[in-house]
Amino acid sequence: MSQANINDNEVDIVIVAFHSDLTAFLNEWRPIFSPFHLIIIKDPDLKEELQIPEGFNFHVYTKSDIDKAVGPSNSNLFSGYSCRYFGYLISRKKYIISVDDDCIPAKDNMGCLVDVVAQHIANLKTPATPFFFNTLYDPFCKGADFVRGYPFSLRSGVSCALSCGLWLNVADYDAPTQVLKPGHRNSRYVDAVLTVPAGAMMPVSGINIAFDRELVGPALAPSLKLAGEGKFRWETIEDIWCGMCAKVVCDHLSLGVKSGLPYVWRNERGNAIDSLKKEWEGLKLMEKVVPLFQSIRLPQSAATAEDCVVEIAKIVKEQLGGEEDPMYDRAADAMVAWVNLWKSVGSG
Amino acid sequence: MSQANINDNEVDIVIVAFHSDLTAFLNEWRPIFSPFHLIIIKDPDLKEELQIPEGFNFHVYTKSDIDKAVGPSNSNLFSGYSCRYFGYLISRKKYIISVDDDCIPAKDNMGCLVDVVAQHIANLKTPATPFFFNTLYDPFCKGADFVRGYPFSLRSGVSCALSCGLWLNVADYDAPTQVLKPGHRNSRYVDAVLTVPAGAMMPVSGINIAFDRELVGPALAPSLKLAGEGKFRWETIEDIWCGMCAKVVCDHLSLGVKSGLPYVWRNERGNAIDSLKKEWEGLKLMEKVVPLFQSIRLPQSAATAEDCVVEIAKIVKEQLGGEEDPMYDRAADAMVAWVNLWKSVGSG
């Protein structure tokens, strides 16, 4: 899909500024991002003024904007990595694309710059096929089709709500994996997009994603915060939790989730060894959280993404709440608070 | 995985000869197949003597071998495309690889010959991960790993029982798709293997597959025959049925199914327009068959692949049997007959 086919009024690109100088980052992205509106969320802990090069159509939101919009009791929802969710909340566009500020455009196997916007939007605008796996990957990609045996009644597919892109160079590993393989780099460019089948759970990374805000915006909720959560991806699992929540919602509402293209090139940031201590908390937690999300069956009465998130919050509270660690109760409360914000401040 | 790591006593390559002259076919495959034992099944309808070039370690089985081994009442199980199942039955090796005789070795993106044996065996010898989707594909491929958020308790994976390879050039489309896009060729070489998640159904093509015979041999059963079944892939769905059966069995027994690499290069054979009339029967049928297989939950008491196939046959008979078309009853009977043969003639 070329950019010519994308209406730039449909797209907001959400960027979190963890560092004040966005010059190099945005100059790298200029050929791809410049036609689109950028929502830049300044890390609430960042004191220095942002440096943003000329030639972009953008709006910066700071801690005071967040406080003003959501009130001081809710503003802690938007700390650290989760400040990006404020961008999701105040956007009024159909599609959101979000890329971490330690990523630059990748090149494909032919050496061509990957247009993340075009690929994410193509993923979202073409149907997804979660109810039967197509062995030749996304049948709506150029040159592909449904293979023999694919039921014709399922070939129209369903709307795709979430597009999960991947990472070259520094892949999205946890701190222990990164520590064990310090020199490891991901160089495998897999030229494919696929629909993750209904019922299958997956770890959605927040590094490089896009979604249809009108369909599933409320399901991309800031929820689970680790006590020792830091400012490196491997110190958080907020996006993994949010992604499982979104996947459960998509499965329930018969919406699709795609994974694969587009890639971004991810640069190194942070020291995995320093992060190891914090990370273990997130690692142990997944052993409990994955079976929970795998077991969730939402009631028929949950007909919107908002309904679904509230139902999931209820289940989290019932199944994981009241434990020694109040983290799960806080996550459930955050999900409910988020849905309320979506209805009052957002476009819900 | 290099061939040095593969014990050639572990592998049988099963080939069906639909044409008498295998010279060109086997010469193309010589660098890859020559270290291994070939089981060549001569199409029972083929009259002429087979021509097989020198330098291969092979055994040919003909109609009279089939009749002798399984008795005349069972030999109709092994007609047309299904004669390859006789090779699965009489093999005593751990791994079976089967490639259609209209395929030759493919080249990867670097122009290197794809070693289907090495790749299939690597897929089968490394664990599969059906219970959580890894966004960076098979974590056991060289250069890959589990992404952040992947539960550590699931990282050891499960045994992989079935490896489904793909096709360059003429892809495995049904006749209507082929007729609609006569010039269409698959040129996208996707450098990935993935585990198809548990619970997700898929159309397994018999063109290029491998499996662990000891784990799931009985589940690869000759079962569903269309009344007008012919000698072109798009005129049959026996492999699609068999594949769904195998997937249900793998899911139940906590075994994995992988899809992706290796590719073969598939040459054109047959006229899709001529086949259209026959094919529609298979197409309609999938609308009924896919929901059935998606709904199957096997009892805990089914502890082996043999048990599972007998249970599935029972369900097929209950749910689809007794209809105007006796095809489903025949399929269920064939599955039971196959399991009995596996126990008496095979290594069951």
Side-chain angles (χ1 to χ4, degrees):
Chain A
M1 182 181 282
S2 73
Q3 285 192 342
N5 296 324
I6 306 174
N7 182 343
D8 50 15
N9 287 325
E10 290 183 326
V11 179
D12 268 333
I13 297 172
V14 174
I15 306 291
V16 169
F18 281 120
H19 296 99
S20 58
D21 191 352
L22 290 173
T23 310
F25 169 76
L26 284 174
N27 280 335
E28 291 275 6
W29 284 106
R30 185 179 296 277
I32 295 160
F33 285 175
S34 61
F36 300 98
H37 180 250
L38 308 184
I39 292 178
I40 298 174
I41 313 290
K42 188 181 170 188
D43 173 9
D45 292 338
L46 187 65
K47 298 286 172 261
E48 301 90 63
E49 201 142 316
L50 293 192
Q51 292 173 52
I52 294 167
E54 289 196 354
F56 288 93
N57 168 21
F58 67 91
H59 198 112
V60 173
Y61 295 90
T62 64
K63 183 167 177 8
S64 81
D65 296 312
I66 297 173
D67 288 347
K68 218 177 296 168
V70 304
S73 66
N74 284 315
S75 68
N76 62 327
L77 285 176
F78 303 102
S79 64
Y81 267 101
S82 296
C83 68
R84 82 188 56 226
Y85 294 88
F86 184 74
Y88 304 170
L89 182 70
I90 46 103
S91 170
R92 293 296 179 269
K93 303 286 178 66
K94 182 167 175 59
Y95 299 113
I96 298 274
I97 294 172
S98 186
V99 173
D100 276 6
D101 72 342
D102 52 359
C103 299
I104 59 172
K107 286 181 175 163
D108 67 16
N109 281 329
M110 314 296 281
C112 299
L113 212 65
V114 171
D115 185 337
V116 285
V117 177
Q119 182 68 51
H120 272 309
I121 299 300
N123 292 350
L124 291 170
K125 284 197 170 185
T126 53
T129 52
F131 303 118
F132 201 63
F133 184 76
N134 193 52
T135 50
L136 283 182
Y137 309 99
D138 186 349
F140 297 97
C141 281
K142 198 173 164 236
D145 211 319
F146 289 97
V147 297
R148 180 170 55 95
Y150 206 101
F152 274 68
S153 61
L154 295 178
R155 293 191 185 197
S156 49
V158 299
S159 297
C160 180
L162 178 60
S163 166
C164 308
L166 297 173
W167 337 276
L168 289 173
N169 195 37
V170 179
D172 189 16
Y173 297 133
D174 45 55
T177 305
Q178 201 65 46
V179 167
L180 278 169
K181 299 177 168 183
H184 184 80
R185 293 294 177 268
N186 185 33
S187 58
R188 186 183 278 229
Y189 183 95
V190 174
D191 185 21
V193 176
L194 56 88
T195 296
V196 182
M201 285 292 115
M202 63 187 293
V204 172
S205 164
I207 293 171
N208 167 24
I209 59 164
F211 57 95
D212 185 323
R213 206 186 50 81
E214 294 174 0
L215 287 177
V216 288
L220 279 286
S223 325
L224 191 82
K225 269 200 180 44
L226 301 177
E229 181 167 311
K231 301 267 171 83
F232 305 115
R233 276 284 176 201
W234 51 48
E235 295 180 353
T236 78
I237 63 157
E238 57 81 19
D239 52 341
I240 308 290
W241 174 283
C242 158
M244 284 198 289
C245 177
K247 182 67 167 61
V248 166
V249 173
C250 286
D251 286 351
H252 177 74
L253 298 177
S254 288
L255 299 169
V257 175
K258 293 184 186 176
S259 181
L261 302 179
Y263 281 88
V264 293
W265 183 272
R266 191 162 176 251
N267 290 310
E268 202 152 8
R269 191 167 70 185
N271 184 318
I273 296 176
D274 293 346
S275 299
L276 252 188
K277 208 178 118 204
K278 298 175 179 176
E279 173 69 12
W280 288 110
E281 192 189 353
L283 295 185
K284 278 181 294 185
L285 183 147
M286 292 303 290
E287 304 297 334
K288 209 174 260 182
V289 165
V290 168
L292 174 73
F293 277 96
Q294 284 174 332
S295 71
I296 291 178
R297 299 291 173 274
L298 297 175
Q300 274 311 106
S301 57
T304 65
E306 284 98 326
D307 296 346
C308 293
V309 174
V310 171
E311 289 294 333
I312 295 172
K314 242 187 261 172
I315 294 167
V316 167
K317 216 149 200 173
E318 280 165 22
Q319 308 271 324
L320 301 178
E323 294 205 8
E324 290 160 50
D325 196 330
M327 171 176 58
Y328 298 111
D329 279 312
R330 280 200 303 259
D333 293 340
M335 291 164 82
V336 174
W338 165 260
V339 169
N340 290 334
L341 283 176
W342 193 269
K343 288 175 179 167
S344 57
V345 180
S347 52
Chain B
M1 182 180 281
S2 73
Q3 285 193 344
N5 297 324
I6 306 173
N7 182 343
D8 51 15
N9 286 324
E10 290 183 326
V11 179
D12 267 333
I13 296 172
V14 173
I15 305 291
V16 169
F18 281 120
H19 296 100
S20 59
D21 191 352
L22 290 173
T23 309
F25 169 76
L26 283 174
N27 281 335
E28 291 275 6
W29 284 104
R30 186 179 296 276
I32 294 160
F33 284 176
S34 61
F36 300 98
H37 180 249
L38 308 183
I39 292 178
I40 298 174
I41 313 291
K42 187 181 172 187
D43 172 10
D45 293 338
L46 187 65
K47 299 284 173 265
E48 301 90 63
E49 201 141 317
L50 293 191
Q51 292 172 52
I52 294 166
E54 288 196 355
F56 289 92
N57 168 21
F58 67 91
H59 198 112
V60 172
Y61 295 90
T62 64
K63 182 167 178 11
S64 82
D65 296 312
I66 296 173
D67 289 346
K68 219 178 296 167
V70 305
S73 66
N74 285 315
S75 68
N76 62 329
L77 286 176
F78 304 101
S79 64
Y81 267 100
S82 296
C83 68
R84 80 188 57 225
Y85 294 87
F86 184 74
Y88 304 169
L89 181 70
I90 46 102
S91 170
R92 293 297 178 269
K93 303 286 177 69
K94 182 168 176 59
Y95 300 112
I96 297 275
I97 294 171
S98 185
V99 173
D100 276 6
D101 72 341
D102 52 0
C103 298
I104 60 172
K107 286 181 176 163
D108 66 17
N109 281 329
M110 315 295 283
C112 299
L113 211 64
V114 171
D115 185 337
V116 285
V117 177
Q119 182 68 50
H120 272 309
I121 298 299
N123 292 350
L124 292 171
K125 284 197 169 184
T126 53
T129 53
F131 303 118
F132 202 63
F133 184 76
N134 193 51
T135 50
L136 283 182
Y137 309 99
D138 187 349
F140 297 97
C141 281
K142 200 174 163 237
D145 212 319
F146 290 97
V147 298
R148 180 171 55 97
Y150 205 100
F152 275 68
S153 62
L154 295 178
R155 292 191 186 197
S156 49
V158 299
S159 297
C160 180
L162 178 60
S163 165
C164 307
L166 297 173
W167 337 275
L168 289 174
N169 195 37
V170 180
D172 189 17
Y173 297 132
D174 46 56
T177 305
Q178 201 65 45
V179 166
L180 279 170
K181 300 179 169 182
H184 183 81
R185 294 294 177 268
N186 184 34
S187 59
R188 186 183 278 230
Y189 183 95
V190 174
D191 185 21
V193 176
L194 57 87
T195 295
V196 182
M201 285 291 114
M202 63 189 288
V204 172
S205 164
I207 293 171
N208 167 25
I209 58 164
F211 57 95
D212 185 322
R213 206 185 51 80
E214 294 173 1
L215 287 177
V216 287
L220 279 286
S223 323
L224 190 82
K225 271 201 178 45
L226 301 176
E229 180 167 312
K231 301 264 171 83
F232 305 115
R233 276 284 175 200
W234 52 49
E235 294 181 352
T236 78
I237 62 156
E238 57 81 18
D239 52 343
I240 308 289
W241 174 284
C242 159
M244 284 197 288
C245 178
K247 183 66 168 60
V248 167
V249 172
C250 286
D251 286 351
H252 178 74
L253 298 177
S254 289
L255 299 169
V257 175
K258 293 184 186 175
S259 181
L261 304 178
Y263 282 88
V264 294
W265 182 271
R266 190 161 176 251
N267 290 309
E268 202 153 9
R269 191 166 70 185
N271 183 319
I273 295 175
D274 293 346
S275 299
L276 253 188
K277 207 176 121 204
K278 298 175 178 176
E279 173 68 12
W280 289 109
E281 191 189 355
L283 295 185
K284 276 181 295 185
L285 184 146
M286 291 304 289
E287 305 296 335
K288 208 174 262 183
V289 164
V290 168
L292 175 73
F293 277 96
Q294 283 175 332
S295 71
I296 291 178
R297 299 292 172 272
L298 297 174
Q300 275 310 106
S301 58
T304 65
E306 284 98 326
D307 296 345
C308 293
V309 174
V310 171
E311 289 294 331
I312 295 172
K314 242 187 260 173
I315 294 166
V316 167
K317 215 149 201 173
E318 280 165 21
Q319 308 272 327
L320 301 177
E323 295 205 8
E324 290 161 48
D325 196 330
M327 172 177 56
Y328 298 110
D329 278 313
R330 280 200 303 259
D333 293 341
M335 291 163 83
V336 174
W338 165 260
V339 169
N340 290 334
L341 283 175
W342 193 269
K343 289 176 179 167
S344 57
V345 181
S347 52

